[in-house]
Amino acid sequence: MEFIDLKAQYKSIENEIKSNINTVLEHGKYIMGPEVALLEQELSEYAGAKYCVTCANGTDALQMALMAWNIGFGDAVFVPSFTFMSTAEVVNLQGATPIFVDISLDTFNMCPDSLENAIKKVIAEGKLKPKAVIPVDLFGQCAEFDKIIPLARKYKLLILEDGAQGFGGTINGKKACTFGDISTTSFFPAKPLGCYGDGGAIFTDNENWYETLKSIRVHGKGTMKYDNVRVGLNSRLDTMQAAIVLAKLHAFIEHELDNRHKYADMYTSILKDRVKTPACPKGFTSSWAQYTLLFDSSEIRDKVRDRLKEKGIPSMVYYPTPLHRQTVYKPLGYEEGSLPASEKAAKGVLSLPMHPYLSKEAVSFVAENVIKAFEEQ
Ligand SMILES: *Cc1c(COP(=O)(O)O)cnc(C)c1O
């Protein structure tokens, strides 16, 4: 059994992938070829954003947004602690300071109350200027934007939605990657919409930022590549990867997202009264980048994980260390216990095999073994 079965996906869309790659080989426009513009158009239409700029990966996507906003030294950017390193790393790369915020244990996403407390604390200390917040759509579920957007407006913070795992999720029908002033996603192969290498995309409704982002993507170009009006990056999405995402986006829309919902619902119906299953707030739908359980301790979690492994069932721990407790962030001085929900999540989470090419049999096999492993404790 695979944790995420990319080979099964390839087999199911092999013809479109091969034909798309072939077209690129025939026209030979490997950098900024026609597939890049076509993908940007299809992505923005699907998500419901005015503009889309593809780029080299989901980390660059986040950094480019901060660059477009001129965020730098002396600025505070609020990020959840329970996320992948990229969310905070890009803040440091810009010379700004990440301020870690706790999560809600029900959704694993940024806790609005913890965010407001962190903002007030930064204002009271008076050393840093609060500039932006980066809510993450963790495990495929949109952050609590219904509460975070009004808070951000109240304190005049820009919102950068990190939708690396969130593409395809919704709140009351509105899609992920449209909740930020700028929103981003990643096409890393294991994400809900992946390519066959690295890739990313940025979404916005703001025309000025859209133009700035296109300039940053190619070394801060002005009217052309050799007219440089700002410092930028080399962060284009390869034409070949764009061709691959085009094929995958069609499968994602036609059947993959529905299958993710079907298998996640099945996990929940078998597991819900036995272990702590992921909660979807009313009006939210997840793209189920991960299906993640929460146990009471790392001892229980690790035992369940070992028993599953004995049965040939892969599982993963995303993430074993919250960012505020990472070695690199020791100098910021966050003590153990300072963000208790993030620390509890890191000790108790376990993600089960989740992808659109599972089967009902596979899901029941995994779920029944989870129950067995847990109840044998
Ligand atoms: C994967 C991921 C990223 C970074 O994406 P890359 O394409 O790997 O650079 C950023 N944020 C989150 C939450 C992620 O899961």
Side-chain angles (χ1 to χ4, degrees):
M1 185 180 294
E2 304 269 343
F3 186 71
I4 294 177
D5 198 341
L6 294 174
K7 284 183 208 135
Q9 182 196 44
Y10 174 62
K11 282 291 153 211
S12 114
I13 55 173
E14 185 177 353
N15 288 342
E16 197 178 351
I17 294 266
K18 281 191 171 156
S19 133
N20 284 11
I21 290 179
N22 226 5
T23 306
V24 178
L25 291 172
E26 293 295 329
H27 69 52
K29 299 189 178 83
Y30 299 115
I31 300 292
M32 298 305 282
E35 285 77 4
V36 174
L38 182 59
L39 176 65
E40 288 173 345
Q41 189 191 329
E42 291 199 13
L43 287 171
S44 57
E45 272 168 23
Y46 174 78
K50 247 192 196 157
Y51 305 108
C52 172
V53 178
T54 54
C55 62
N57 56 70
T59 308
D60 280 5
L62 291 166
Q63 189 178 356
M64 288 164 71
L66 298 181
M67 289 170 83
W69 289 340
N70 287 313
I71 284 178
F73 185 76
D75 294 336
V77 179
F78 300 87
V79 301
S81 177
F82 191 63
T83 177
F84 183 63
M85 180 61 179
S86 298
T87 316
E89 179 180 49
V90 293
V91 176
N92 295 99
L93 285 171
Q94 286 306 105
T97 303
I99 306 293
F100 292 110
V101 172
D102 214 354
I103 55 164
S104 310
L105 276 176
D106 279 338
T107 60
F108 301 116
N109 276 330
M110 179 182 265
C111 166
D113 291 337
S114 176
L115 172 62
E116 184 159 29
N117 290 339
I119 299 169
K120 284 181 175 161
K121 199 168 159 219
V122 168
I123 293 173
E125 282 173 359
K127 288 188 197 135
L128 297 169
K129 194 166 177 337
K131 275 286 179 66
V133 53
I134 314 184
V136 176
D137 302 335
L138 203 74
F139 301 152
Q141 181 156 292
C142 292
E144 293 176 46
F145 286 107
D146 47 335
K147 301 194 184 87
I148 288 173
I149 292 172
L151 265 181
R153 298 294 170 247
K154 178 173 166 190
Y155 294 99
K156 301 196 165 39
L157 300 181
L158 290 160
I159 302 171
L160 173 53
E161 176 187 3
D162 180 351
Q165 303 180 16
F167 196 80
T170 62
I171 305 177
N172 296 324
K174 186 172 158 62
K175 292 203 179 76
C177 297
T178 64
F179 294 102
D181 295 302
I182 296 181
S183 303
T184 64
T185 196
S186 160
F187 303 128
F188 182 83
K191 311 281 178 175
L193 179 62
C195 58
Y196 288 157
D198 279 308
I202 313 168
F203 300 84
T204 186
D205 284 346
N206 181 303
E207 192 179 352
N208 287 337
W209 293 334
Y210 170 62
E211 295 299 334
T212 306
L213 289 165
K214 283 194 296 181
S215 162
I216 291 171
R217 169 167 70 180
V218 187
H219 309 285
K221 75 182 169 84
T223 49
M224 49 137 4
K225 191 174 167 185
Y226 303 105
D227 165 33
N228 307 101
V229 298
R230 57 172 60 80
V231 169
L233 301 173
N234 171 11
S235 188
R236 294 165 298 228
L237 181 70
D238 296 347
T239 309
M240 205 67 100
Q241 297 300 345
I244 289 159
V245 181
L246 274 170
K248 292 224 209 176
L249 177 62
H250 301 157
F252 183 84
I253 295 170
E254 279 156 22
H255 65 268
E256 288 189 352
L257 192 54
D258 290 341
N259 281 356
R260 285 176 180 277
H261 290 153
K262 179 172 79 186
Y263 295 132
D265 289 348
M266 223 184 126
Y267 269 136
T268 302
S269 71
I270 304 174
L271 291 168
K272 67 177 189 289
D273 298 322
R274 319 294 278 270
V275 292
K276 190 171 178 336
T277 52
C280 237
K282 201 165 169 293
F284 285 58
T285 68
S286 175
S287 60
W288 299 108
Q290 303 295 339
Y291 189 92
T292 303
L293 304 174
L294 181 65
F295 294 99
D296 283 338
S297 72
S298 58
E299 290 74 25
I300 300 176
R301 187 263 313 277
D302 294 345
K303 272 189 199 149
V304 171
R305 192 172 187 206
D306 289 345
R307 297 258 165 84
L308 292 179
K309 196 172 167 201
E310 284 162 20
K311 299 279 179 183
I313 300 170
S315 61
M316 301 290 267
V317 175
Y318 298 121
Y319 297 92
T321 309
L323 296 185
H324 72 284
R325 298 292 295 156
Q326 291 283 359
T327 308
V328 61
Y329 288 125
K330 288 259 158 75
L332 294 181
Y334 289 85
E335 301 292 331
E336 191 170 354
S338 55
L339 300 177
S342 299
E343 292 167 33
K344 198 166 175 358
K347 291 192 181 101
V349 284
L350 189 66
S351 300
L352 303 180
M354 185 66 215
H355 59 82
Y357 301 89
L358 282 163
S359 62
K360 286 184 177 169
E361 293 70 29
V363 172
S364 2
F365 179 70
V366 174
E368 273 149 26
N369 277 289
V370 167
I371 293 172
K372 230 189 269 169
F374 178 64
E375 291 182 354
E376 273 169 20
Q377 295 295 315

